[in-house]
Amino acid sequence: MTQSPTAGFDLADTTWPPPPYQPPVQPRTGPDGVRLFDGVTYATTPGYRPRLLDVRTPAGEGPFPAVVWIHGGGWLDGDRRYPPPTVPADLLHGAVLAAGLALVSIDYRHSLEAPFPAQLHDVKAAIRYVRAFAEVLGIDPDRIGVWGESAGGHLAALAGLVGPGSPDAAALEGAHGVGTGDTGVLAVVDWYGVSDLPALAEHPMPPMPGAGEFPDPYEALLGGTEAERPALARAASPVTYAAGSNPPPFLLVHGTRDGLVPYSQSECLARALERAGGEVTLRPVDGADHIFLGSPDVEGIVAESVAFLAGHLGAGA
């Protein structure tokens, strides 16, 4: 006899409206013992696609310190599953897991879905979610760092600097997903991220080959030009929050010939962090363009970034 599709379903377990997130899915365990929680809904907002994250935890007993990976794409594009084309996913994932770190890869709303600060709200929501479900995920909620590239580097820097004492903190923290909770992090790796949007107003965007009518990423992020929205441009700039922030340790890695995000953007953030008394390492990649194009040692850049995070998050401790 065919079983009813509603067999075992208890209407009393249903709530309305549904919660703005879902509990973690059942993980898959690979032959190497790595556990993967794939496509977890960490936040929902009516009218938008659900925001998803993946969690990979190393083989062995946790809880493990965790790194939140934030993809790039000019805030207009990108996907949690795919690092930049110069960094194979297997290299990134394998290096993090081999260091005894869990990897949390997140999606966030793109700028044509919602302008800033929606992207930061989503990063903060993901960190809150990981802390709220840390026991299920096998993560140590007290040892979380962030790592991003390009647009994701910008968001990682903001996640490290924006906290309860920041100007307009409530507006920047947001209340998506779990809604409340600590979003602080212990370390930040920022690969070639923007740090000062007003300073970029005089830096013309290079042509985007094959992109057609590709929107200006800065205007899309702000919902207008910097001249039209100067206060929002300052609010979206990590340098705005360095002073008085008690920043976590930062590693800034940037190609010296980056034609998309000038190397001076990381120099600017490094100076601001130093003035704030923060621990910051600025690592130039000589001759490299955006996404480290032209660098012969991307593997070494990944290894240095993972070692920085592992050291500050106490991996193996």
Side-chain angles (χ1 to χ4, degrees):
M1 183 171 65
T2 303
Q3 187 178 31
S4 166
T6 59
F9 177 77
D10 187 350
L11 190 61
D13 294 334
T14 304
T15 60
W16 191 263
Y21 57 87
Q22 296 293 328
V25 298
Q26 284 295 115
R28 301 197 311 267
T29 303
D32 55 0
V34 171
R35 292 197 309 161
L36 170 63
F37 298 84
D38 189 10
V40 178
T41 300
Y42 73 84
T44 62
T45 305
Y48 298 94
R49 60 194 167 99
R51 270 83 83 205
L52 306 180
L53 59 77
D54 300 335
V55 179
R56 291 172 174 81
T57 59
E61 292 296 322
F64 300 98
V67 177
V68 176
W69 167 261
I70 311 171
H71 69 77
W75 308 283
L76 286 159
D77 199 0
D79 185 311
R80 72 188 188 280
R81 296 168 296 177
Y82 308 117
T86 48
V87 183
D90 286 348
L91 170 63
L92 180 73
H93 299 169
V96 171
L97 293 166
L101 299 165
L103 180 64
V104 181
S105 306
I106 70 170
D107 284 332
Y108 53 88
R109 282 171 291 175
H110 294 153
S111 56
L112 294 184
E113 295 178 88
F116 187 84
Q119 297 71 32
L120 181 57
H121 288 170
D122 291 348
V123 172
K124 294 282 191 175
I127 295 169
R128 284 193 296 266
Y129 184 94
V130 169
R131 283 207 164 96
F133 289 99
E135 185 174 358
V136 177
L137 298 171
I139 285 173
D140 184 340
D142 297 323
R143 295 190 289 166
I144 295 176
V146 287
W147 179 6
E149 61 95 15
S150 196
H154 161 261
L155 295 172
L158 284 173
L161 292 170
V162 171
S166 301
D168 299 320
L172 294 169
E173 288 282 331
H176 293 266
V178 171
T180 60
D182 178 20
T183 60
V185 297
L186 295 185
V188 177
V189 175
D190 172 358
W191 281 0
Y192 44 86
V194 169
S195 66
D196 186 348
L197 269 75
L200 285 171
E202 302 304 318
H203 178 74
M205 283 290 297
M208 305 293 286
E213 295 297 318
F214 196 85
D216 182 290
Y218 305 116
E219 291 186 20
L221 180 69
L222 300 176
T225 66
E226 186 273 337
E228 292 167 338
R229 305 202 168 180
L232 188 60
R234 289 191 299 274
S237 298
V239 293
T240 299
Y241 308 100
S245 64
N246 188 26
F250 268 70
L251 173 63
L252 308 175
V253 190
H254 207 134
T256 59
R257 298 187 65 183
D258 193 323
L260 195 60
V261 178
Y263 177 72
S264 58
Q265 286 283 298
S266 284
E267 290 181 307
C268 176
L269 182 55
R271 288 193 298 268
L273 292 166
E274 288 169 352
R275 287 195 297 267
E279 177 188 338
V280 56
T281 300
L282 174 58
R283 181 72 66 230
V285 183
D286 290 337
D289 201 341
H290 204 62
I291 68 171
F292 304 135
L293 281 170
S295 171
D297 190 24
V298 171
E299 188 171 342
I301 295 169
V302 171
E304 180 180 7
S305 301
V306 170
F308 176 88
L309 290 162
H312 287 289
L313 298 179

